[in-house]
Amino acid sequence: MMKRRQFLAAVGGSMVCWHSPNLLAMPIKRPKLVWVMLRGAMDSLHAVLPVADPSLMDHRRGLLKTVKGQATPLERGFALHPSLKTFAELYRQKQLLAVVATSSGANTRSHFRAQDIVESGYNQADADSGWLNRAVEAYQGESLAVAHSLPISLRGKHASQTWYPDHFMESSEDLYNRLKYLYDGDEQLLNSLINGLETQAQLGNMANDKRQQKFANLALSCGKLMQAENGPDCSMLELDGWDTHQRQVYRLDKQFTELDKGLAALRQGLGEQWDNTAVIIATEFGRTVAENGTGGTDHGTASALFLAGGAVRGGRVYGQWPGLKKAQLFEGRDLMPTSDNRQWISALLKQHWQLNDVQLNTVFPQISPMQINLIR
């Protein structure tokens, strides 16, 4: 049976799980960073369509017949999937850019192995050390994972925090006052309760919303927590469901809509802090260039990376395009990678957080940052 002290601690800590006492001391104007991990391998050729490549329709006539004519034109002969309306708006406002034909750094088509490598940031995964944790440590900042447990990206030496909506029924003000009375002699329990109540107040009781697990709600909560005076410097969000072996057209319409609403909600939650924020959106690998026999695509190699936010110098499509002719494909089936995500993220960390070369080498060893201005 759970002891009374354990139960009271669980109630006090259910609203938020802060692992670092330094969170309250952060100034509001420090540059913010949000890392969004798309789990399941997003099909970049369905997100950022290379409509100017004459070989595209040879590989994907069935997948693109209802999408190509509705896509939002970008520069360099690319177009954005029509469900990415907020992405398109931010691109027009020069607050979003896309990087095409980029690799995650994972030389595998296994989802779990690739995700571990992406989150670790090393050539071989280290489940106890994440690239974002090492970056935050170099920056001497505070971080938050919107997740049930701490993802690999934020594991490491530097203390991080986790938050996720609880599933308890709404409690009364009288209960909270009674808990404060009971905790009066225990500083740790009292601080846990107070921090939880402050977080609940910041989110306007969103933790009790029946739609709490929707990505947009999580992103809105994330933004509100970050824009608060005591908010963290960076956060991590996750969205799964990108493994589209079948019925890709229908499934990606829904996925892109959910991702798009999430980015809009994050911007709303951040408020004025949006102008001070860079958002990184990436996946573990891409998908095959050719559609399969079940209206989908299979595990591939190169994909796309998005950078968004008021701090981003957007309105551009970067990345060397390798072409989609059979002889130009990786192993005769995949989009050929021409850059590494870590090169772009490293450049962003250097420009946005002002990390030096020594610090960057601890985040992504032996990776040279792109020499392109990504931040305003």
Side-chain angles (χ1 to χ4, degrees), residues 325-337:
K325 293 180 180 179
K326 185 71 173 179
Q328 297 170 323
L329 302 183
F330 178 73
E331 297 185 349
R333 49 168 276 169
D334 299 342
L335 179 64
M336 178 74 71

Side-chain angles (χ1 to χ4, degrees), residues 312-333:
V312 171
R313 190 185 180 97
R316 300 296 304 272
V317 177
Y318 289 116
Q320 179 184 346
W321 184 246
L324 296 178
K325 293 180 180 179
K326 185 71 173 179
Q328 297 170 323
L329 302 183
F330 178 73
E331 297 185 349
R333 49 168 276 169

